[in-house]
Amino acid sequence: MKHINKIFLLAIIAFLGNSCSDLEEDTSSLLTVGKIETEADIAASVAPIYRRLLEMHKTPHFTRTATYGGDDITTWIAGNKAPLRVFDRYDYGSGENSDINWLPHAWDGYWQTIYYCNTLIDGLKTATAPESVVKVADAEARTFRALSYLNLVKLHGNMPLILDGVLPTGEEQRATVLENYLQIESDLLIAETSLPIPGTQEEGRASASLAKSILADLYLTWAGWPVKDVSKYPLAAEKAKDVIDYNYHTLLPIDQLWLLEGADSKESIFSLRYSDDESIVGQAATAFTFHQGRGFSDCFPELQFFNDFPEGPRKDATFILDIPNRNSPGGVITPKDPPTIPWPDSDRGHPMYKKYVLSEDLTFGARPVSFRSIELYRYAEILLIYAEAQARGDGENTSSIEALNQVKRRAAGLPYLSPDGSVDVASATPNEIVDEKGWELAAENKRWFDLVRTERVAEMAAKRDASEPVTLVRQPGEAQYIAPIPFNSISLSDLVQNPEGFKIQ
């Protein structure tokens, strides 16, 4: 996009200059297509793809800025949270507020990932490494290119299709949403057959489960708003069932799920791994902790969502009701007296999300951090995608209801594979399954997209608790389903801002 070549180049140079020591292989191939030959070249070109995703997801409030319209999250009414409040209150829709900070974070991150993937895919065409190595690397690049495009389309609508390692000119035009979906599908259909089956991949790398999970997510999205091709529901169910039928993934007990030790278990389809011996520190605990606990108060549940959340072990594992009360004299986090305050009396007047702070590290500095991995997809989501897609497509069956009940049993603290009449259901409507998914994946950057594709944003906004400090600018409609493209990218290219540039097919 006009002058975006300079932006990409500067971003890539800055990124490479800040790479950590374990990624300091020769990365010159990233800037020149056709120079990837040996197995070492391939390793050096794959590493920055994972690194870029790790970097962009370390700050969840930045990555999720455009998704604050979901009813599972809200933010602080003051401080520097204005960019988040724009989306929390639906103060956009006709291209306004495209110049806010934080909005470009996900945009830039996904485009940089696409550039790295394109460079690798092109470069592999001349690689002399063993075919098996080339095949897996190509599949990884296609998987993460597809994931990046899918998230861009979910966030901002139809995107230009840039599928080579040559830097953009600035004259690229937006493809349609349908054309985007077709390209994403094409990449993933190749990747799912080339990636190793789960449990056989190198630790921390993508498996066939990830490619199939993204495909299931794609088809579920494709069947909903805006394309509404309901023939994709059976395909979503099929791909989710493929993951189930690997018989590899499991659900952890609910009281173990969010422990540090619960990360990277067989529940994880794919996770981004943070470590205290690397240069990237996960900031989820900082973002989800209130200021009185030495956090940043970026994200906490809307009151109505919290009140509607079913009581039981999953709710206990999801929320903190007694809010940490701390200070940091000399940069050391210490409890105040009293050490906790009931959430209605806390500085934000809301509960806190426990799932992101249960494994917090209070010894790293003056702010709580977390080195727990962040799951982009986990098995519980796949079970629920299967249940919903089957219900909306060919109709519920024994296995789809069992998939739903497994999540419900685990939520109740029960063995998830053992039928239990106290929680099992014989049937469920699609919206009931979507609500179950909202509770299961609360604050995991999924709820907003589910509300958009099912056109339930206005329904949930109408339920918003009247006491919420962040008040709505408007009742949301379709104009709020996609976020504006960041101002700089519009200014430096031939792209047309939403909604004028939004084309479905």
Side-chain angles (χ1 to χ4, degrees):
M1 290 153 264
K2 190 182 301 178
H3 307 308
I4 284 187
N5 53 345
K6 297 178 182 177
I7 294 172
F8 271 137
L9 187 59
L10 289 172
I12 291 164
I13 291 171
F15 170 75
L16 294 177
N18 289 307
S19 292
C20 66
S21 58
D22 62 338
L23 298 179
E24 286 180 351
E25 299 94 344
D26 178 13
T27 53
S28 59
S29 59
L30 286 172
L31 300 178
T32 306
V33 176
K35 295 293 184 68
I36 300 174
E37 297 178 349
T38 67
E39 193 167 348
D41 293 336
I42 293 174
S45 299
V46 168
I49 297 172
Y50 286 88
R51 177 73 181 198
R52 178 64 273 182
L53 290 167
L54 198 67
E55 290 269 9
M56 70 177 293
H57 284 277
K58 73 177 181 181
T59 48
H61 49 302
F62 289 176
T63 306
R64 304 175 184 189
T65 296
T67 70
Y68 269 70
D71 63 336
D72 59 333
I73 57 175
T74 186
T75 192
W76 182 26
I77 189 60
N80 65 343
K81 315 307 174 192
L84 308 181
R85 291 195 297 272
V86 163
F87 294 94
D88 196 14
R89 66 201 314 168
Y90 307 114
D91 192 11
Y92 62 98
S94 300
E96 70 270 29
N97 284 320
S98 66
D99 59 343
I100 59 172
N101 58 347
W102 303 355
L103 182 60
H105 180 84
W107 173 274
D108 291 345
Y110 288 129
W111 278 115
Q112 288 168 11
T113 303
I114 290 168
Y115 179 80
Y116 293 151
C117 293
N118 287 345
T119 301
L120 179 55
I121 293 167
D122 271 8
L124 288 171
K125 295 173 183 176
T126 58
T128 58
E131 182 181 356
S132 59
V133 175
V134 172
K135 191 175 181 180
V136 170
D138 177 78
E140 286 179 290
R142 290 180 185 276
T143 296
F144 292 116
R145 179 167 74 178
L147 178 62
S148 297
Y149 263 115
L150 179 58
N151 285 329
L152 282 168
V153 175
K154 284 182 177 183
L155 287 167
H156 299 285
N158 44 311
M159 293 288 106
L161 284 173
I162 302 173
L163 303 174
D164 56 41
V166 178
L167 289 168
T169 66
E171 298 176 356
E172 289 78 11
Q173 301 297 310
R174 295 168 74 163
T176 65
V177 174
L178 181 57
E179 288 168 337
N180 288 154
Y181 287 171
L182 289 168
Q183 176 56 47
I184 295 164
E185 178 188 41
S186 175
D187 272 343
L188 292 171
L189 290 175
I190 294 171
E192 70 170 340
T193 64
S194 300
L195 288 171
I197 63 172
T200 66
Q201 80 274 25
E202 184 180 334
E203 186 176 354
R205 302 282 284 272
S207 74
S209 281
L210 176 59
K212 289 180 180 292
S213 295
I214 303 171
L215 264 173
D217 190 0
L218 167 68
Y219 288 135
L220 198 65
T221 304
W222 199 332
W225 188 92
V227 176
K228 301 183 183 180
D229 181 354
V230 296
S231 71
K232 302 304 178 186
Y233 282 126
L235 293 177
E238 176 188 328
K239 295 305 175 183
K241 188 65 161 56
D242 283 350
V243 176
I244 295 169
D245 287 346
Y246 279 129
N247 292 316
Y248 172 80
H249 298 286
T250 60
L251 297 180
L252 285 177
I254 195 65
D255 60 352
Q256 297 177 25
L257 178 58
W258 298 110
L259 297 173
L260 184 63
E261 298 78 15
D264 308 319
S265 69
K266 288 186 177 181
E267 178 153 355
S268 177
I269 302 292
F270 178 75
S271 63
L272 298 169
R273 302 180 175 205
Y274 299 90
S275 172
D276 57 5
D277 62 1
E278 294 185 8
S279 60
I280 303 182
V281 177
Q283 296 181 13
T286 321
F288 283 87
T289 299
F290 294 164
H291 276 75
Q292 71 178 59
R294 296 299 299 157
F296 287 157
S297 304
D298 292 308
C299 189
F300 38 90
E302 285 191 9
L303 293 172
Q304 192 62 52
F305 182 83
F306 170 75
N307 290 331
D308 288 344
F309 200 110
E311 299 294 333
R314 181 173 58 189
K315 189 169 188 175
D316 296 340
T318 302
F319 301 107
I320 290 177
L321 306 186
D322 294 316
I323 309 303
N325 189 31
R326 304 167 176 148
N327 207 338
S328 59
V332 178
I333 298 177
T334 56
K336 297 170 71 174
D337 186 17
T340 62
I341 295 176
W343 71 260
D345 301 324
S346 69
D347 58 0
R348 301 294 165 250
H350 285 69
M352 266 173 46
Y353 271 109
K354 181 189 289 187
K355 59 172 63 175
Y356 288 109
V357 304
L358 186 62
S359 58
E360 66 185 357
D361 187 320
L362 301 180
T363 67
F364 198 78
R367 301 287 182 185
V369 299
S370 175
F371 297 106
R372 190 191 184 282
S373 300
I374 299 293
E375 281 96 358
L376 297 191
Y377 287 93
R378 56 187 179 90
Y379 185 51
E381 178 177 4
I382 303 310
L383 291 170
L384 294 169
I385 287 178
Y386 175 54
E388 182 194 347
Q390 190 66 40
R392 293 188 189 274
D394 295 333
E396 294 176 310
N397 58 32
T398 301
S399 63
S400 70
I401 289 297
E402 171 62 15
L404 171 63
N405 283 330
Q406 287 182 14
V407 175
K408 292 174 70 68
R409 291 174 204 140
R410 197 268 295 270
L414 300 170
Y416 77 95
L417 292 176
S418 300
D420 193 300
S422 66
V423 296
D424 286 3
V425 297
S427 182
T429 67
N431 279 353
E432 287 173 339
I433 300 170
V434 172
D435 289 341
E436 184 72 33
K437 188 179 177 188
W439 298 321
E440 175 65 31
L441 303 176
E444 294 182 48
N445 206 24
K446 305 289 183 175
R447 177 66 168 172
W448 169 248
F449 302 119
D450 284 339
L451 295 181
V452 167
R453 67 176 174 82
T454 59
E455 301 180 89
R456 298 179 68 197
V457 175
E459 174 192 343
M460 294 302 125
K463 292 178 61 179
R464 191 180 181 96
D465 193 292
S467 67
E468 289 287 359
V470 178
T471 56
L472 303 188
V473 169
R474 59 171 62 86
Q475 286 299 312
E478 283 193 3
Q480 284 70 51
Y481 284 4
I482 49 175
I485 293 173
F487 176 79
N488 282 347
S489 295
I490 289 290
S491 302
L492 299 174
S493 74
D494 290 343
L495 295 179
V496 179
Q497 182 60 278
N498 293 330
E500 291 83 357
F502 181 64
K503 299 289 188 297
I504 297 173
Q505 53 190 335

